[in-house]
Amino acid sequence: MIRIANGQGFWGDSLEAPAMQVRRGPIDYLTLDYLAEITMSILQKQRSRDPKAGYARDFVDMIADVLPDLIARRVRVIANAGGVNPAACRDAVLAIAKRQGIDVKVATVAGDDIMGRLDDLFARGIELNNMETGEPLSTIRDRVQSANVYFGAFPVAAALARGAQIVITGRVTDTGLALAPMIHEFQWKADDWNKLAAGTIAGHTVECGAQCTGGNCQVDWAEIPNMADIGYPIIEAEPDGTFTITKHAGTGGRVTVASVKEQLLYEMGDPREYITPDCIADFTTIHLEQCGPDRVRFSGIRGRPATPFYKVSVSYSAGFKAIGSLVYAWPDAYRKARAADQILRRRLDRLGLKFDAIRTEFLGANACHGIPLAEPAPDMEPRLAEVVLRVGVRSNDRAAVERFTKEIAPLALNGPPVVTGLGSGRPRVEEVVAYWPALIPKTEVKPEVSIWPSEN
Amino acid sequence: MAKRKLIELAHARSGDKGDTANVGIIARRPEYYPILVREVTAERVKKHFEGVCLGEVERFEIPNLGALNFLLHESLDGGGTLALKADPQGKTYSSALLRMEIDVD
């Protein structure tokens, strides 16, 4: 049995979680997810300004903190912290190890960045059509900011086989980070579909960190113990593809069949067709069993052969947006917020501003669940303590979005009364970086695994 | 037949893929699952999210988890970073569905 911990559900998750996973109980592997879909474009911009940037700095700071413990406890780390520059991330980690007088083998998995190959791919008839709209990527070629293939677990497993104690990857699937140690330790083959599906589902269960150990859990949230010290998930994986999800003893939160089921359903499409580069996993074959306090055992999982494609994540510039808000207080908070919205829109019309999208929401009244589901009853409406008017616009014309940001604040003095919330001043204009999903034949890209210090 | 709110019979989680939201609901007891299958149809979910879900609703059954998964297409104002919504990832659609009233034997 091996223990595979998740210490980071997304870039921005708890800074304490990785160290907790290493120090508060036994684990063999620590996996960390740092890349969201839009993260790659931010990192690509950082690298274009500085050739030594373009990876997750948080990861390097974390390694500086826990490296001696990793070595003492023989914990190996797998992180997609390399972003668009895994080699620079590796160099930063090696510099820290040197400063601490520690010898460590660090591998990188690269080759996922196809930004520089796009024109070559188009020329050869690989159009990277949008999976949702069918449009070819060439239609937005000049606006592309990053393009990365999602690799699976096998290149990471290859890095482990070469003795890496820390594996830094570019774009690798979240599930692949957790599946890789199972492939390596148990010598699973590329066509062991049932086992690969089991490891993939294990990875899916832990990929959002504490979201399977009682965090964001609706079943009975108020009863979940000690959320302030919530434990992050650990997979206890067996060679036959069964596994148990648990957490370190003494940590908060709770691992139950119910908490795990919620995470299984997160971002789910067709439950029979969970497609990764490694296999197709069938969620309708999962058998769950509470086999002890904070222990849920998974068995029976079946999978099918992987597809001949990798998924590609392209980010591209898609105009500008700004979102502003004002807070209206009792009495008639909702009525006043609605009136302010109408006044604002008349002023925007008079200025002749054109937007691709404009949207108003009333936080405190109906924003999350919408109208009609959450519309306050007529007798309730005048009693609302406050309502936040939230207005957003989006346009390719930056000047129009800029102008909009200057029309919100004046409402505090020249619109309906008892209004506040201007503390942060005018809203900020943000560049919109949108996401373009596509597929590429696996034969077109090769993962590149390298290890440092080199083997000879 | 009595009317019950779905939140008494199920818990839920939701997420996003582009402009599509997914809402998974899970029976709080095994005997509630057939009621969910009978009552919480794709058509009812589409009507429930009137004004929010502008596209189709697909339903998938996951009996081994006592769960149903719904895909609500065209529900996130364009999705991801394009959306101007306070909840661009549909994270709160889980409890929005649990507001539904259904018939229970």
Side-chain angles (χ1 to χ4, degrees):
Chain A
M1 185 269 285
I2 54 167
R3 292 189 179 89
I4 305 160
N6 173 289
Q8 190 84 173
F10 67 105
W11 193 359
D13 201 357
S14 164
L15 294 177
E16 309 300 319
M20 168 210 265
Q21 292 291 52
V22 173
R23 293 183 179 133
R24 290 179 64 178
I27 61 169
D28 302 299
Y29 290 87
L30 175 65
T31 65
L32 306 143
D33 172 31
Y34 283 95
L35 302 181
E37 276 149 2
I38 69 153
T39 320
M40 298 309 259
S41 66
I42 299 167
L43 295 173
Q44 198 71 259
K45 273 185 206 162
Q46 289 177 0
R47 191 181 63 172
S48 67
R49 285 193 295 266
D50 173 2
K52 289 199 166 105
Y55 59 87
R57 284 286 328 169
D58 282 0
F59 172 72
V60 177
D61 296 341
M62 187 278 293
I63 290 291
D65 175 35
V66 302
L67 186 58
D69 300 275
L70 293 175
I71 301 299
R73 294 167 176 261
R74 298 171 160 273
V75 174
R76 300 167 87 176
V77 176
I78 302 166
N80 59 15
V84 297
N85 203 347
C89 186
R90 172 201 65 205
D91 290 347
V93 166
L94 286 169
I96 280 165
K98 193 170 174 198
R99 213 158 47 232
Q100 297 186 358
I102 292 171
D103 284 329
V104 63
K105 267 190 189 298
V106 183
T108 54
V109 176
D112 60 298
D113 186 351
I114 57 167
M115 181 72 174
R117 291 180 51 202
L118 290 179
D119 295 317
D120 171 48
L121 290 166
F122 295 159
R124 304 215 340 271
I126 294 169
E127 298 190 305
L128 301 173
N129 297 326
N130 188 305
M131 287 169 74
E132 282 158 21
T133 66
E135 274 182 282
L137 184 61
S138 54
T139 55
I140 55 148
R141 173 68 187 94
D142 55 335
R143 294 193 275 146
V144 171
Q145 296 191 347
S146 68
N148 295 79
V149 172
Y150 283 83
F151 287 139
F154 280 90
V156 178
L160 295 172
R162 288 166 66 177
Q165 291 156 290
I166 298 176
V167 184
I168 296 166
T169 77
R171 187 79 265 190
V172 165
T173 57
D174 304 345
T175 55
L177 302 177
L179 171 59
M182 300 179 216
I183 291 172
H184 167 62
E185 298 267 355
F186 306 143
Q187 299 293 301
W188 290 351
K189 302 288 178 277
D191 61 354
D192 282 340
W193 307 118
N194 294 338
K195 288 171 181 164
L196 296 174
T200 296
I201 288 173
H204 173 83
T205 308
V206 303
E207 71 174 296
C208 295
Q211 208 175 216
C212 73
T213 55
N216 190 26
C217 183
Q218 291 192 44
V219 67
D220 59 347
W221 71 271
E223 309 303 319
I224 290 170
N226 196 11
M227 235 188 257
D229 186 34
I230 194 162
Y232 273 57
I234 296 165
I235 306 162
E236 293 181 356
E238 302 286 350
D240 66 358
T242 61
F243 61 92
T244 299
I245 299 294
T246 186
K247 63 186 184 69
H248 283 321
T251 58
R254 192 165 62 193
V255 183
T256 61
V257 166
S259 75
V260 161
K261 277 183 183 174
E262 282 196 25
Q263 173 57 20
L264 285 174
L265 289 167
Y266 182 62
E267 290 182 343
M268 180 184 276
D270 181 342
R272 287 186 174 79
E273 300 254 318
Y274 187 89
I275 300 172
T276 75
D278 304 304
C279 65
I280 297 175
D282 184 348
F283 280 58
T284 67
T285 60
I286 302 170
H287 178 78
L288 296 177
E289 182 197 347
Q290 189 84 42
C291 61
D294 295 320
R295 297 180 64 80
V296 174
R297 186 165 183 275
F298 286 57
S299 59
I301 293 170
R302 303 194 62 84
R304 296 198 301 282
T307 77
F309 298 99
Y310 287 123
K311 193 168 174 186
V312 181
S313 159
V314 177
S315 67
Y316 67 99
S317 173
F320 303 89
K321 70 178 178 184
I323 295 163
S325 62
L326 286 170
V327 183
Y328 288 88
W330 181 93
D332 294 322
Y334 185 31
R335 215 174 118 208
K336 290 185 294 192
R338 274 180 305 189
D341 177 51
Q342 280 166 18
I343 293 163
L344 174 66
R345 284 178 182 243
R346 271 206 291 279
R347 289 175 184 168
L348 295 174
D349 282 346
R350 210 163 56 212
L351 289 165
L353 299 176
K354 294 271 182 288
F355 302 106
D356 297 330
I358 178 163
R359 183 179 187 95
T360 302
E361 291 183 329
F362 301 98
L363 276 63
N366 54 28
C368 286
H369 292 178
I371 302 168
L373 275 184
E375 188 69 348
D379 62 323
M380 171 74 174
E381 193 190 308
R383 303 205 306 261
L384 291 175
E386 64 263 325
V387 166
V388 178
L389 167 67
R390 183 182 187 277
V391 187
V393 299
R394 177 163 54 79
S395 173
N396 284 317
D397 177 6
R398 186 179 182 120
V401 179
E402 274 303 342
R403 189 67 187 82
F404 158 81
T405 65
K406 295 169 184 171
E407 287 301 314
I408 293 261
L411 279 167
L413 299 184
N414 67 16
V418 204
V419 52
T420 184
L422 278 171
S424 48
R426 286 173 181 161
R428 212 162 42 88
V429 177
E430 296 172 63
E431 186 187 1
V432 177
V433 178
Y435 167 68
W436 180 286
L439 295 175
I440 191 169
K442 283 179 174 166
T443 48
E444 291 294 330
V445 265
K446 281 265 171 302
E448 297 156 14
V449 179
S450 21
I451 191 151
W452 210 269
S454 58
E455 282 147 333
N456 37 21
Chain B
M1 290 281 198
K3 292 263 184 222
R4 298 269 294 277
K5 263 219 191 304
L6 191 50
I7 196 166
E8 297 169 41
L9 280 73
H11 56 116
R13 181 165 292 172
S14 54
D16 69 314
K17 272 235 162 19
D19 198 21
T20 298
N22 101 288
V23 183
I25 60 169
I26 304 155
R28 287 180 181 271
R29 293 163 173 270
E31 60 267 31
Y32 294 162
Y33 182 62
I35 304 172
L36 303 186
V37 172
R38 186 188 69 211
E39 293 292 323
V40 192
T41 60
E43 295 71 31
R44 281 207 66 190
V45 171
K46 167 77 182 168
K47 195 162 181 299
H48 186 74
F49 281 101
E50 184 188 347
V52 172
C53 175
L54 308 179
E56 296 297 305
V57 171
E58 287 182 88
R59 185 179 95 161
F60 300 94
E61 296 178 19
I62 315 154
N64 53 315
L65 301 181
L68 296 173
N69 187 41
F70 297 90
L71 293 183
L72 279 56
H73 297 282
E74 296 171 58
S75 298
L76 294 170
D77 194 28
T81 50
L82 288 170
L84 298 169
K85 288 167 64 63
D87 179 19
Q89 295 165 313
K91 300 234 181 205
T92 64
Y93 289 2
S94 52
S95 66
L97 181 51
L98 297 180
R99 288 171 174 268
M100 185 184 276
E101 282 205 337
I102 59 172
D103 288 322
V104 179
D105 313 306

